[in-house]
Amino acid sequence: METKPQKNKQLEKIQEMVEDIRMAMMTTVDDQGNLVSRPMAALQMDEDGTIWFFTKRTSPKVDQIDNNQHRVNLSFSDVGDANYVSISGTADELDDRAKIDELWNPQAKAWFPKGKDDPELILLKVHTQMAEYWDSSDSTMVRLFQQAAAAITGNPPKMGENEKVYN
């Protein structure tokens, strides 16, 4: 995912953590009130903390976003490094051909075989309102040792940094 320097310095840590994680799970609410998640390829995190995605105009998630005050959640995880990010925000659909041109990549053709001029292709932009992250700088072996020690001592392991960031 492409990232840009953040205007809000508090979002710099979030930017660093999601930069190499291309896939996010986007959660919306369906008509029955169920939480529905699906993988989405994040294209860019711009300087305002907005995360951009391609989607189909007729996708059910577009209706779910419109019907639920545009509220969404994005989750990013890098299990190997034990880094996790949850982003709450609002999403808007946008038919901006210049932005589509800017973000277009060859992998998108699998979902949009007519290319960047596909009439079904629109953008989703998710405005970050709050993000929470968990970041473990320890190696896998250290984390496993901490978990084993916690099981023996009954004291919760210290598994890294956790913080909430507001935009």
Side-chain angles (χ1 to χ4, degrees), residues 10-166:
Q10 290 184 308
L11 287 177
E12 287 178 353
K13 177 72 173 180
I14 302 300
Q15 172 198 344
E16 290 171 19
M17 292 181 72
V18 302
E19 190 167 24
D20 295 327
I21 306 172
R22 207 170 132 63
M23 297 303 290
M25 290 297 288
M26 178 182 286
T27 303
T28 57
V29 180
D30 71 11
D31 291 340
Q32 289 78 39
N34 299 305
L35 296 173
V36 182
S37 299
R38 80 277 294 149
M40 298 282 293
L43 302 167
Q44 180 187 78
M45 183 175 185
D46 70 19
E47 59 277 348
D48 294 317
T50 298
I51 301 177
W52 294 84
F53 301 89
F54 288 142
T55 195
K56 289 188 177 183
R57 185 181 308 275
T58 55
S59 167
K61 75 179 136 310
V62 172
D63 289 334
Q64 292 166 1
I65 289 167
D66 287 343
N67 293 338
N68 288 286
Q69 298 153 346
H70 299 258
R71 304 284 305 153
V72 298
N73 181 270
L74 302 174
S75 58
F76 294 86
S77 64
D78 180 350
V79 178
D81 287 336
N83 293 329
Y84 307 93
V85 177
S86 175
I87 296 174
S88 296
T90 57
D92 290 301
E93 311 93 54
L94 188 63
D95 191 352
D96 180 337
R97 292 295 142 181
K99 188 71 174 179
I100 289 171
D101 286 344
E102 174 190 338
L103 297 175
W104 183 257
N105 61 68
Q107 294 85 5
K109 192 153 179 135
W111 286 271
F112 301 97
K114 295 178 184 173
K116 59 186 173 182
D117 295 320
D118 190 322
E120 274 291 297
L121 174 61
I122 60 171
L123 295 160
L124 276 181
K125 62 180 194 173
V126 175
H127 307 281
T128 299
Q129 293 178 323
M130 190 276 288
E132 185 170 11
Y133 68 86
W134 298 263
D135 179 14
S136 176
S137 57
D138 294 329
S139 70
T140 302
M141 289 304 292
V142 170
R143 290 193 313 268
L144 289 172
F145 176 76
Q146 290 172 338
Q147 289 173 358
I152 294 168
T153 65
N155 296 324
K158 295 191 182 348
M159 299 301 287
E161 184 180 358
N162 171 242
E163 186 175 336
K164 288 184 182 175
V165 176
Y166 295 89

